[in-house]
Amino acid sequence: MPRFSIIVPVFKVQGFLRECLDSVLGQSYADFEVIAVDDRSPDSCPAILDGYAERDARVRVLHLPENVGLGRARNAGLEEASGDYVLFLDSDDCYTPGLLAAVAARLEAGDDPDILVFDHVRTHWWGRGGRSTAADLLAAAGTGTFSVRENPEYLHLFLVAWNKAYRRDFFLEHGLRYAPGLYEDAPVTYRSMVLADRVACLERIGVEYRQRRQGAITRTPGRRHFDIFPQYEGLFRFVEARPDLEWARPLLFERALDHMLFVLAREDRVRAADRPDFYREIRSFHARHVPEGGFALPDGWRGKEMRLLATAPYASYAVARGLREVRRVAGAGQRRVARAVSQRAQRAWYTARSRLPLDPELAVYSAFSHRGVLGDPAAIHAKARELAPHIKGVWVVREDAVDALPPDIDFVTPGSRRYHEVMARATYWVNNVNWPGTLAKRPGSVHVQTHQGTPLKYMAADLLTKPGARHGFDVPKMLWRADRWDYSLVANRHSELAWERAYPCHFTSLRTGSPRNDVLVNAGPQAGEAVRARLGVPAGDTVVLYAPTRREYRRGGHVDRIDLARFARDLGPGHTLVVRLHPSLAQGTARGTGLADLHRRGVLIDATDEPRVEDVLLAADVLVTDYSALMFDYANLDRPIVIHADDWGAYVASRGAYFDITADAPGHVSCSYRELAWLFASGTWQDGESARLRAGFRERFCEFDDGLAAERVVRTLMLSERMPERPGGVEPGGVGWVPAPAAPGAHSMR
């Protein structure tokens, strides 16, 4: 008997069916059966299904004698199921990699709950969407189990069949079946949730929910959407016949009204001519089933709508809804006007303060669009405090990042009055991105651009040949803002040439090295041990850091290049996989597709939120990356680097690159997961060839990183001093210089 029975009803999805089935059959967890139900599909779907069944014994095809619709097709598949748990998957959707392994682990940890709910992401025809509305609820559930009676807020989870794993005995015991017609998911979802004694949640995106441009029934206007009423009538007949479920009636009543009003508001579901009838049906449902003790009205407009149902005919409701829309549009206009007035006032204040003389002892810092005290600007600020304490440093920090600041940091928030005062009077401006275009450069001010590392991918003006990569960027304005730079800091001659090409502006390149890399160059033997302990790395483990970058050829930037659970397993005992996503992916769906779940289960460590990337680099014994600029920084540590370049051609075509990293690599290159796994299994990742490649890479790209970059910036640009000669001995960054080696406990995988 398999662990899972996955029921896939199929009808007129020949363009998506193979992708759906491949996403299931390609799962790393293999203890399942697929019951594909051909609902008399008139296209090529039956032949496609039969082909899969011939090739894979886990696939069984049930050809129905007549078309019965989605709900009854699921029921037919259920009759054939033999697994411990039943999952339903629509045939135009897909599972994300590693889902079934994560579900199996969560079920085992929860001692086989009645229902397990997982997350999804909407994949529109133009690209993937963002986090679902269920994400926060799923995260709040933690690793325990609960009942809806104890936690009624979980009735707000997405009411579909395909985001759950049902214990089959529970499903059959309660006679749960899907009724014909649209909105068949709602009664089964709500019945099962209120009947379940033990519900568990998995904070992981498990389904790519396809939003088709055409062909989706729920987005085809018509009278079929009136099916929602008999569906909920069936639910309430069931609930009202069960005195033991009296507690659930007010909750389900509010959820039913919310669903009906949601459908009413959708122009792609209920036609304008049908809205009066649809609204009357909602009022009729309300009159028949309103609980005697009432129910809790939600806040906002939805609560007002539900209140109107008791007394207002459609004409009154339509007027109220129209007035709300007018207020919404007017409010948006007022907010735009208010913002414009505020911005003009701020510019006026900035202009007025700009008439005052520059303060020669004031420096302003920012990093990563005001995300905190980070990167090269942070290293320069720290060294300025040491060598030039008379120069006051003020950071520009977003309001949502203020709480994470060290207690001794003076800061301003963008747009505040003091922000404009500081920006108007500061002599030194230090940033690793461009300052806003609303800020003018004053004569005598010194603008220092530190950048964010050595460039591999095309930047700025070079993006003019890559229209997809520059989407959302105004290159001429970017260059206009860069015209304010006085100095551009570089760590190597390659960067010097690349920045002068990408930013054809009026600045001087300074061969200072990267200030943030001083900590790497000067690292001692125990560097990184405190970070390893904070991250929870077992003593003596070899730390494998995986740091992928974003992709311009995929909307949202995230592409799963590696099955992280498989990689962590293949590394074997004595090794800890640490993952750090590109900052632009930290708040998107990338972590929800598996990373957060694997971190929670202890399979790997997610270090994306570690504020200082330098600390994470110091904690690692080997870096695995694709095309991240972190490789240039990590090379300063003289530790092994592996380049996983399985999509190099697509990356170069979409983003562009200044050189071929696969030909001039800092270590071994893998072009498939099989090659990557072999490099580690054989120990090749740290062999003599790896060291030879790394030495050449360090010579080229760590040329000016000698551990004195921040001091060089402060002394030469702020104090107008010459750099003192370094005492005798091996120069950091020079031939023979080796900074902190890999952790003493690191060992190969032989």
Side-chain angles (χ1 to χ4, degrees):
M1 185 170 68
R3 184 60 165 161
F4 300 132
S5 292
I6 302 169
I7 298 171
V8 184
V10 178
F11 184 74
K12 293 180 68 173
V13 288
Q14 61 182 9
F16 309 109
L17 182 55
R18 287 187 175 87
E19 186 179 357
C20 170
L21 294 174
D22 289 344
S23 77
V24 178
L25 299 175
Q27 292 283 311
S28 57
Y29 185 90
D31 188 14
F32 62 82
E33 63 177 359
V34 176
I35 302 173
V37 184
D38 167 27
D39 192 18
R40 296 297 291 177
S41 186
D43 55 8
S44 299
C45 286
I48 293 172
L49 293 176
D50 290 339
Y52 272 85
E54 290 176 7
R55 294 190 299 271
D56 196 315
R58 294 173 297 177
V59 179
R60 286 192 288 144
V61 181
L62 181 60
H63 294 287
L64 298 183
E66 61 180 350
N67 177 256
V68 297
L70 180 58
R72 286 192 283 189
R74 286 181 184 146
N75 296 340
L78 182 65
E79 296 300 320
E80 301 293 321
S82 61
D84 297 330
Y85 278 83
V86 175
L87 295 87
F88 300 97
L89 177 64
D90 287 357
S91 49
D92 55 352
D93 296 338
C94 296
Y95 279 160
T96 59
L99 170 68
L100 295 183
V103 169
R106 183 69 183 90
L107 291 173
E108 182 178 358
D111 194 23
D112 284 4
D114 299 322
I115 305 172
L116 174 67
V117 188
F118 44 86
D119 206 355
H120 70 281
V121 62
R122 293 177 185 266
T123 303
H124 302 273
W125 58 270
W126 65 84
R128 180 186 279 182
R131 296 175 75 234
S132 76
T133 56
D136 290 337
L137 271 177
L138 294 172
T143 58
T145 60
F146 58 89
S147 71
V148 168
R149 187 166 190 172
E150 299 165 344
N151 298 91
E153 65 272 18
Y154 283 90
L155 280 181
H156 289 254
L157 290 171
F158 201 33
L159 49 85
V160 290
W162 41 256
N163 67 346
K164 301 174 184 70
Y166 291 103
R167 188 165 53 81
R168 187 168 63 93
D169 289 346
F170 164 80
F171 208 84
L172 297 177
E173 173 190 350
H174 291 287
L176 295 169
R177 296 293 187 277
Y178 292 93
L182 295 187
Y183 305 104
E184 77 293 336
D185 300 43
V188 173
T189 295
Y190 285 140
R191 270 182 71 177
S192 64
M193 291 293 280
V194 299
L195 287 168
D197 294 321
R198 299 172 62 246
V199 179
C201 291
L202 175 63
E203 186 196 359
R204 182 189 175 110
I205 294 173
V207 174
E208 295 259 7
Y209 176 30
R210 191 183 302 277
Q211 308 289 281
R212 291 157 64 181
R213 188 170 184 266
Q214 59 183 10
I217 299 174
T218 55
R219 286 174 174 75
T220 304
R223 298 287 294 190
R224 289 193 64 186
H225 292 281
F226 283 72
D227 287 355
I228 194 171
F229 300 110
Q231 297 286 10
Y232 277 107
E233 284 293 337
L235 172 64
F236 272 78
R237 280 196 302 270
F238 166 77
V239 172
E240 289 164 359
R242 292 281 299 266
D244 59 314
L245 295 179
E246 184 63 27
W247 61 269
R249 284 187 61 190
L251 302 173
L252 294 175
F253 184 73
E254 184 274 332
R255 290 287 79 206
L257 294 184
D258 180 84
H259 194 182
M260 294 170 186
L261 289 168
F262 167 81
V263 173
L264 172 64
R266 294 290 296 267
E267 295 181 358
D268 57 354
R269 300 196 186 191
V270 181
R271 291 186 292 239
D274 292 330
R275 284 198 190 122
D277 288 346
F278 198 93
Y279 180 78
R280 282 191 288 270
E281 289 287 349
I282 302 177
R283 290 195 69 199
S284 178
F285 178 89
H286 180 281
R288 285 193 302 275
H289 298 293
V290 61
E292 291 183 4
F295 67 103
L297 291 167
D299 296 332
W301 167 244
R302 184 68 88 224
K304 294 177 182 178
E305 283 184 292
M306 292 181 184
R307 191 177 292 111
L308 285 170
L309 289 170
T311 58
Y314 179 74
S316 300
Y317 167 79
V319 169
R321 183 178 171 189
L323 288 173
R324 175 179 179 267
E325 182 64 17
V326 168
R327 293 191 195 99
R328 186 189 66 80
V329 173
Q334 290 172 353
R335 287 190 293 274
R336 285 195 295 271
V337 170
R339 281 196 298 270
V341 170
S342 175
Q343 289 169 357
R344 282 197 294 271
Q346 291 171 8
R347 285 195 293 270
W349 175 256
Y350 176 76
T351 301
R353 303 305 291 174
S354 296
R355 297 191 181 99
L356 298 174
L358 289 172
D359 184 344
E361 297 184 352
L362 179 60
V364 63
Y365 299 88
S366 179
F368 302 104
S369 300
H370 315 320
R371 285 200 293 113
V373 182
L374 303 166
D376 292 303
I380 295 170
H381 177 231
K383 187 59 67 172
R385 281 180 152 186
E386 175 189 336
L387 301 178
H390 61 285
I391 297 179
K392 180 180 180 60
V394 179
W395 280 83
V396 181
V397 181
R398 298 184 326 214
E399 290 186 8
D400 61 354
V402 166
D403 291 341
L405 292 178
D408 59 343
I409 292 296
D410 189 7
F411 69 92
V412 294
T413 56
S416 64
R417 176 164 288 197
R418 185 168 179 245
Y419 162 81
H420 286 287
E421 181 173 348
V422 168
M423 301 309 296
R425 301 208 59 202
T427 294
Y428 306 100
W429 292 30
V430 183
N431 204 342
N432 64 3
V433 296
N434 258 322
W435 294 100
T438 54
L439 301 173
K441 174 175 170 55
R442 297 185 62 187
S445 64
V446 179
H447 287 220
V448 180
Q449 171 59 227
T450 71
H451 304 287
Q452 297 179 36
T454 295
L456 171 63
K457 61 189 177 185
Y458 277 1
M459 304 292 288
D462 289 320
L463 292 177
L464 291 172
T465 63
K466 300 292 180 182
R470 74 169 188 268
H471 178 71
F473 292 98
D474 188 323
V475 174
K477 285 187 177 180
M478 186 185 300
L479 300 183
W480 174 75
R481 291 192 294 269
D483 277 328
R484 296 171 298 183
W485 302 351
D486 291 298
Y487 298 102
S488 166
L489 309 187
V490 298
N492 46 66
R493 295 171 208 266
H494 161 77
S495 294
E496 186 173 78
L497 295 175
W499 294 135
E500 290 181 2
R501 165 181 163 147
Y503 293 97
C505 303
H506 309 289
F507 60 79
T508 299
S509 291
L510 290 186
R511 298 176 174 181
T512 58
S514 295
R516 71 183 180 284
N517 287 342
D518 289 348
V519 68
L520 304 181
V521 177
N522 295 321
Q526 301 305 314
E529 288 302 311
V531 184
R532 292 164 70 98
R534 185 171 72 248
L535 292 175
V537 176
D541 264 20
T542 296
V543 175
V544 180
L545 172 61
Y546 176 52
T549 194
R550 65 178 290 117
R551 303 298 200 276
E552 271 69 26
Y553 62 75
R554 175 72 177 265
R555 185 182 178 90
H558 172 64
V559 178
D560 290 312
R561 304 308 311 174
I562 293 178
D563 183 336
L564 295 176
R566 180 182 180 185
F567 189 34
R569 182 177 65 249
D570 289 348
L571 287 172
H575 300 80
T576 296
L577 177 61
V578 175
V579 178
R580 185 178 179 89
L581 297 178
H582 189 276
S584 66
L585 303 176
Q587 303 304 318
T589 60
R591 295 162 99 170
T593 53
L595 180 57
D597 172 60
L598 295 173
H599 173 80
R600 186 169 47 250
R601 288 162 46 202
V603 176
L604 50 74
I605 294 173
D606 178 9
T608 303
D609 290 334
E610 280 291 312
R612 285 169 43 91
V613 69
E614 299 86 1
D615 290 344
V616 182
L617 298 182
L618 285 168
D621 299 307
V622 52
L623 171 66
V624 178
T625 186
D626 34 43
Y627 323 117
S628 171
L630 286 181
M631 72 178 83
F632 300 100
D633 304 322
Y634 191 75
N636 281 286
L637 290 171
D638 197 27
R639 301 178 190 175
I641 301 173
V642 174
I643 301 297
H644 186 58
D646 64 335
D647 66 339
W648 175 243
Y651 185 83
V652 173
S654 60
R655 178 66 195 231
Y658 290 111
F659 66 94
D660 185 350
I661 191 61
T662 65
D664 296 308
H668 289 292
V669 177
S670 59
C671 295
S672 68
Y673 178 76
R674 183 178 181 180
E675 292 178 3
L676 176 65
W678 177 83
L679 286 173
F680 280 90
S682 64
T684 306
W685 63 277
Q686 57 176 355
D687 65 3
E689 177 66 6
S690 171
R692 186 189 69 79
L693 292 169
R694 187 167 66 253
F697 193 83
R698 292 182 67 225
E699 183 177 357
R700 179 179 179 187
F701 295 109
C702 302
E703 182 179 6
F704 306 138
D705 278 337
D706 61 357
L708 298 172
E711 180 177 354
R712 188 169 287 112
V713 173
V714 173
R715 289 195 184 279
T716 58
L717 299 186
M718 294 181 173
L719 297 178
S720 300
E721 297 178 358
R722 291 177 57 85
M723 280 291 294
E725 294 295 328
R726 191 174 179 91
V730 178
E731 291 290 322
V735 177
W737 170 260
V738 178
H747 53 277
S748 70
M749 303 181 66
R750 297 184 189 278

